Amino acid sequence: MDWAGVARRQEERSAAAQGAVLRANAAYGAGLAHLMLGDREAARAWLDRAVSAYRESWAEARPDSWGRPIATIKSRLLVDEPAEVEARWALEVGADRAETPIGRYAAALAHLVLGDDEQARVHADAIRTADDFPAEVGDALAAVAATDAIAYVEALERVLASFETRSDYLEDVPVADTVLVLRALGEARGLRAELSSPLLPG
């Protein structure tokens, strides 16, 4: 994969995008590409732009557009930056009250960031059996909340496998970003998973 080329493409897309959410998605993709290149400073800069644009786009979003709060939390975790501000924002705009799996995913991430593992597990358990949400992600969130090392590794391997067998990626940037986010949350609790894939930074 020509990650330098992907980074340039995403940067150009972000610059030319009409609308904050399109600008945010392209900036997020650029951040992922720089992460794959091993340039964490550039990744941090582009993911910071993504956070700003996602927040800006919220004014135009439906109340159930949970992808934006989720992406802001993930953007911080991907580069080991504090995500408490974004987590509190997700809860302030109603993630705890969401009835959809994606909304409860936002809430679970937010509570894990804030260290409220008990509440995170409530949301994780709710989405593990949802028909329209990846069960392996719910399992991984629950394992992180319970600090269950064996379940964590098994679930994370299944999340990675789901990325490796898909054909569609955000902005056509093939990176297992959810794995990286779950790994960051797990490592904060002493959980470790040795994973290797072309979809992860080397």
Side-chain angles (χ1 to χ4, degrees):
M1 178 64 69
D2 176 16
W3 286 112
V6 173
R8 286 193 300 272
R9 180 193 74 195
Q10 292 304 121
E11 291 167 7
E12 291 168 0
R13 282 186 180 181
S14 186
Q18 299 296 313
V21 70
L22 295 178
R23 188 168 70 252
N25 285 343
Y28 187 87
L32 294 180
H34 283 294
L35 204 59
M36 295 299 283
L37 286 167
D39 188 344
R40 296 185 71 81
E41 183 176 347
R44 184 173 290 108
W46 280 98
L47 290 168
D48 187 62
R49 293 186 189 192
V51 169
S52 297
Y54 281 125
R55 292 290 294 260
E56 178 186 340
S57 73
W58 182 255
E60 307 165 358
R62 300 189 311 271
D64 60 347
S65 297
W66 297 111
R68 291 165 172 84
I70 289 168
T72 63
I73 293 171
K74 292 171 72 172
S75 292
R76 299 303 189 200
L77 293 175
L78 284 166
V79 287
D80 302 319
E81 286 201 331
E84 286 81 1
V85 170
E86 289 70 34
R88 292 190 184 96
W89 176 53
L91 298 179
E92 285 168 4
V93 296
D96 257 339
R97 301 185 299 277
E99 298 180 358
T100 60
I102 191 68
R104 302 198 77 161
Y105 176 39
L109 286 176
H111 284 294
L112 286 174
V113 166
L114 296 172
D116 185 356
D117 291 0
E118 183 176 348
Q119 191 61 34
R121 191 169 183 179
V122 170
H123 290 290
D125 285 341
I127 62 180
R128 294 167 78 178
T129 57
D131 293 333
D132 54 348
F133 193 86
E136 61 273 10
V137 175
D139 290 343
L141 291 167
V144 171
T147 323
D148 185 332
I150 295 175
Y152 170 72
V153 172
E154 292 175 348
L156 211 56
E157 288 174 344
R158 287 190 286 119
V159 176
L160 179 57
S162 75
F163 271 85
E164 292 176 332
T165 55
R166 71 171 59 173
S167 57
D168 296 327
Y169 300 90
L170 179 67
E171 290 290 304
D172 297 321
V173 179
V175 176
D177 59 328
T178 301
V179 172
L180 296 174
V181 167
L182 291 167
R183 192 159 66 181
L185 290 168
E187 288 179 352
R189 292 160 174 79
L191 300 173
R192 297 286 184 271
E194 297 297 329
L195 302 171
S196 177
S197 171
L199 305 184
L200 298 174

